[in-house]
Amino acid sequence: MAGGRFVLLLVIMNVPWSFQTSDTVNPCCYFPCQHKGVCVRFDLDKYECDCTRTGYYGRNCTIPELWSRIREFIRPSPAFSHYILTRFKWFWDIINATFIRDTIVRLVLTVRSNLIPSPPTYNSAYGYISWEAYANVSYFTRVLPPVPDDCPTPMGTKGKVQLPNSTLLVETFLKRKRFIPDPQRTNLMFAFFAQHFTHQFFKTFGRMGRGFIKGFGHGVDLSHVYGDTLERQHTLRLFKDGKLKHQIINGDMYPPTVIDAPVHMIYPESIPKEKQLAMGQEVFGLLPGLMMYATLWLREHNRVCDVLKEEHPTWGDEQLFQTTRLILIGETIKIVIEDYVQHLSGYFLKLKFDPELLFGVQFQYRNRIAVEFNHLYHWHPLMPDSFSIMGQDYNYSHFIYNYSMLTDYGVEALVESFTKQIAGKIGGGNNLHPHLLYIAAGVIEESRKLRLQSFNEYRKRFGLKAYKTFRDFTGEDEVSARLEELYGDIDALEFYPGLLLEKTHPNSIFGESMIEMGAPFSLKGLMGNPICSPEYWKPSTFGGETGFNMVKTASIEKLVCRNVKRCPEVAFHVLDPEPGGRHPSREKKSGDEL
């Protein structure tokens, strides 16, 4: 491989080259183009880097233009920004009360969103710009193209010819030895919300092939509530007053059974059909936490329908249904940004869902779900060793597909129990319950079939510095030595193991890369929703000021307390008791007070 090594030397030195060797390596396998430059191969041994609009020039897009030099000089590092945003609460309390808050939130939204290509650029079938990659919404999109399939190693040219066994990786680095609670006090209410929320757009369709998505929804469309096809939606609808089908048990509303709404649901054969709940997402019968959220959104939909019908007595079933769906989409985005992401970030800057902040800047209101986002969001370390419901512990075998837990305990009891139980820490490794190891192994295997680029290539793509050593990556010696033994080179470390094993921020749920890569996907997907566009974001879209205000004032607490008889303790983190042993949300007696 002398010729290959010489090619690599030339690439590193930023020297133009063109020659033929008997063992020529695809030059793009070296990933020579930096700063989002695009590698284009010519003949067998030639390449060019397209540096258009990267802010850099030169053979490998490494020489910064003047404005790039200035920007890099004044731009704070992600680590420094995170430090400032998660400390000095007194300072942020002042900022949050002024117009400066809006300016900073707008900056956060635009900077993060601009990291995601729009329109989409690649998919798993095309490692270059093509109309198919843009127009075929059956695919997940991709931020980085696949590793060329003629490279000498799975990660290009770095590392070993064969990657470590995926089962060995999860057993060695991810398997839980003891439960590690999240230092941010994230709870199971958050964990089940994450699962429920993301199942509307993370729908891998393996039967179609690699990199396909089931359905056509690429964002917050509430298909997990209404179904991902028109046929499923119609089966779930009551076709009266805009409402969804439901059943009443002990005076409370729950999803209908598959007998009354015959949609395909995944349940064990041992569960009779009269006990199988029919929901928008076919897998939600798996966990009581998912059934709980499905019930809350069902109740919220039918509640909003009643409000709209009273205000608009001339409206028919279809307009009531469609307008209610838009309101619930808005409520979801508001909850995700101001409750969910706010907690996850740990920022003292108070985030804000206000689409008008982006009306004065260039922004595209269309989203495509990336396969990298799908892989990144496998946060199964959140799951505990067992589930505590009203003082009773349930192990996995008694919790999974426990169809009666929802109706036996009721929504209030589940909400309060999940709010009180702390979730696991996601980053840092060795915190995945043995029952869930197969999921992590599956993610790693899928990433290999899709030929995802290395963890360091993704760090560079999102404006982060590549790690030089495994010691720098983990912050310790034992795990880093074992990783080096298995991978051979830090530039061969895979995307998903990198996200879960990276050293975490102090007192944080995960590390720098998860934040810096996850936030752009999340914020672009949320703010790129059509309801956030100038054409949609106005009272008439939501049936008037009443519906508009439902969106603008939504919260996780209101979602729960407006749809139960007794307002329980509810938050996305374990609450600290107030002086005297009271909890903040306990003061709310009913949803009406919210």
Side-chain angles (χ1 to χ4, degrees):
M1 293 293 292
R5 287 195 294 271
F6 184 59
V7 169
L8 175 60
L9 178 62
L10 290 174
V11 169
I12 293 173
M13 295 177 64
N14 201 28
V15 176
W17 54 274
S18 175
F19 59 84
Q20 195 84 17
T21 65
S22 58
D23 57 352
T24 299
V25 173
N26 179 350
C28 293
C29 290
Y30 295 100
F31 303 110
C33 307
Q34 305 301 302
H35 303 105
K36 303 182 186 179
V38 178
C39 184
V40 182
R41 187 182 188 183
F42 293 89
D43 294 329
L44 291 176
D45 57 354
K46 300 176 184 177
Y47 78 96
E48 286 184 6
C49 290
D50 185 348
C51 308
T52 305
R53 287 184 291 277
T54 63
Y56 292 80
Y57 64 97
R59 176 66 173 171
N60 295 330
C61 310
T62 55
I63 305 172
E65 298 171 356
L66 177 60
W67 175 242
S68 296
R69 291 180 186 274
I70 297 172
R71 184 175 64 247
E72 290 301 315
F73 179 76
I74 64 176
R75 186 180 70 175
S77 70
F80 179 77
S81 298
H82 184 82
Y83 180 88
I84 296 298
L85 288 164
T86 57
R87 287 165 177 81
F88 314 112
K89 185 176 183 300
W90 61 269
F91 169 77
W92 290 110
D93 285 344
I94 296 173
I95 294 297
N96 290 333
T98 70
F99 71 93
I100 301 175
R101 173 196 176 196
D102 285 358
T103 302
I104 297 176
V105 171
R106 182 186 297 108
L107 181 65
V108 169
L109 291 174
T110 53
V111 169
R112 298 287 200 192
S113 297
N114 287 340
L115 289 170
I116 305 301
S118 184
T121 47
Y122 309 108
N123 64 24
S124 296
Y126 297 90
Y128 48 87
I129 296 292
S130 67
W131 184 256
E132 183 74 8
Y134 163 75
N136 191 340
V137 296
S138 297
Y139 277 99
F140 285 102
T141 186
R142 295 177 67 140
V143 171
L144 287 179
V147 175
D149 56 13
D150 58 350
C151 293
T153 73
M155 290 295 131
T157 59
K158 299 293 185 69
K160 301 184 178 183
V161 175
Q162 187 170 352
L163 290 167
N165 179 274
S166 59
T167 301
L168 174 64
L169 287 175
V170 298
E171 289 278 351
T172 304
F173 302 110
L174 300 183
K175 183 179 180 179
R176 180 175 292 164
K177 299 172 183 176
R178 61 175 180 82
F179 176 72
I180 306 172
D182 171 40
Q184 291 180 212
R185 299 172 66 82
T186 302
N187 59 22
L188 294 192
M189 195 68 181
F190 176 96
F192 287 125
F193 186 95
Q195 277 189 294
H196 187 270
F197 168 71
T198 58
H199 270 74
Q200 66 189 299
F201 43 77
F202 291 153
K203 297 174 289 188
T204 303
F205 199 28
R207 284 175 289 176
M208 286 283 290
R210 299 173 184 172
F212 281 89
I213 186 171
K214 185 176 182 289
F216 302 101
H218 278 267
V220 181
D221 59 1
L222 269 58
S223 58
H224 62 325
V225 176
Y226 303 110
D228 56 9
T229 66
L230 188 60
E231 179 185 8
R232 190 177 183 96
Q233 178 201 119
H234 283 183
T235 306
L236 292 170
R237 284 176 60 177
L238 188 61
F239 286 105
K240 181 181 178 182
D241 298 334
K243 293 185 176 182
L244 297 172
K245 291 178 182 176
H246 57 276
Q247 60 175 318
I248 303 298
I249 302 175
N250 298 325
D252 291 321
M253 183 184 299
Y254 293 95
T257 69
V258 295
I259 295 175
D260 294 324
V263 294
H264 172 64
M265 295 293 297
I266 299 176
Y267 284 99
E269 292 183 359
S270 59
I271 299 178
K273 289 192 177 295
E274 60 267 21
K275 298 293 185 180
Q276 296 182 17
L277 299 182
M279 293 164 278
Q281 233 288 356
E282 60 189 18
V283 303
F284 281 175
L286 176 68
L287 297 170
L290 301 179
M291 290 187 272
M292 176 199 73
Y293 272 113
T295 302
L296 282 169
W297 285 113
L298 166 69
R299 293 179 182 180
E300 177 68 0
H301 177 94
N302 287 351
R303 184 191 73 82
V304 173
C305 282
D306 285 335
V307 174
L308 290 180
K309 182 174 174 58
E310 184 175 347
E311 286 207 346
H312 306 279
T314 61
W315 281 13
D317 169 77
E318 190 66 22
Q319 189 166 5
L320 289 169
F321 171 82
Q322 297 295 348
T323 305
T324 296
R325 181 172 185 167
L326 290 173
I327 290 172
L328 265 63
I329 288 172
E331 290 181 341
T332 298
I333 297 174
K334 175 75 155 52
I335 290 170
V336 171
I337 290 179
E338 296 195 9
D339 288 336
Y340 179 92
V341 176
Q342 180 73 60
H343 164 71
L344 199 62
S345 69
Y347 292 169
F348 287 127
L349 168 67
K350 192 174 180 182
L351 301 179
K352 184 178 184 181
F353 173 49
D354 183 0
E356 294 184 22
L357 292 176
L358 297 178
F359 285 0
V361 301
Q362 184 179 5
F363 195 80
Q364 294 192 355
Y365 294 95
R366 189 183 181 191
N367 187 58
R368 286 281 292 278
I369 297 297
V371 70
E372 295 97 340
F373 191 33
N374 187 9
H375 283 205
L376 174 151
Y377 228 116
H378 282 76
W379 291 351
H380 293 85
L382 286 167
M383 290 292 103
D385 288 336
S386 62
F387 303 86
S388 179
I389 310 297
M390 303 303 288
Q392 177 70 41
D393 274 358
Y394 292 86
N395 60 26
Y396 279 75
S397 62
H398 291 99
F399 190 75
I400 292 175
Y401 287 118
N402 190 329
Y403 61 91
S404 65
M405 183 176 286
L406 174 67
T407 54
D408 286 350
Y409 282 103
V411 171
E412 294 95 330
L414 292 185
V415 167
E416 193 152 357
S417 296
F418 294 149
T419 297
K420 288 180 177 180
Q421 185 169 0
I422 198 165
K425 184 180 181 181
I426 296 172
N430 291 124
N431 203 24
L432 187 60
H433 191 278
H435 191 86
L436 304 172
L437 294 179
Y438 76 96
I439 299 175
V443 174
I444 294 171
E445 287 296 327
E446 185 184 51
S447 74
R448 294 173 180 181
K449 292 177 181 176
L450 297 172
R451 304 199 314 278
L452 259 65
Q453 293 188 31
S454 72
F455 179 64
N456 260 345
E457 289 300 321
Y458 277 101
R459 280 185 60 84
K460 289 189 289 185
R461 172 59 180 77
F462 282 89
L464 303 169
K465 290 183 178 179
Y467 285 113
K468 300 297 184 183
T469 66
F470 282 104
R471 175 67 175 78
D472 183 33
F473 163 68
T474 65
E476 54 78 77
D477 296 321
E478 183 178 348
V479 173
S480 61
R482 183 67 172 133
L483 285 169
E484 186 159 16
E485 176 187 347
L486 291 172
Y487 280 103
D489 194 303
I490 184 64
D491 286 329
L493 178 64
E494 296 171 90
F495 179 65
Y496 185 64
L499 289 166
L500 287 194
L501 297 178
E502 182 181 32
K503 60 181 181 287
T504 60
H505 280 301
N507 300 315
S508 179
I509 194 169
F510 36 50
E512 175 184 65
S513 299
M514 189 78 83
I515 295 172
E516 298 302 320
M517 297 181 197
F521 284 121
S522 180
L523 293 175
K524 175 63 173 70
L526 294 166
M527 299 306 296
N529 193 284
I531 73 159
C532 300
S533 68
E535 291 299 319
Y536 279 61
W537 188 252
K538 45 193 171 186
S540 56
T541 300
F542 307 98
E545 289 293 345
T546 299
F548 203 23
N549 286 332
M550 288 184 199
V551 173
K552 293 191 289 186
T553 61
S555 69
I556 186 60
E557 187 175 18
K558 288 180 179 179
L559 171 66
V560 171
C561 292
R562 283 178 172 167
N563 292 292
V564 295
K565 295 174 181 175
R566 175 187 63 85
C567 187
E569 179 181 322
V570 52
F572 281 146
H573 62 279
V574 177
L575 296 168
D576 292 320
E578 293 179 344
R582 298 177 301 173
H583 285 273
S585 65
R586 284 292 185 87
E587 300 306 307
K588 303 293 186 184
K589 300 300 181 182
S590 71
D592 293 338
E593 297 179 46
L594 298 173

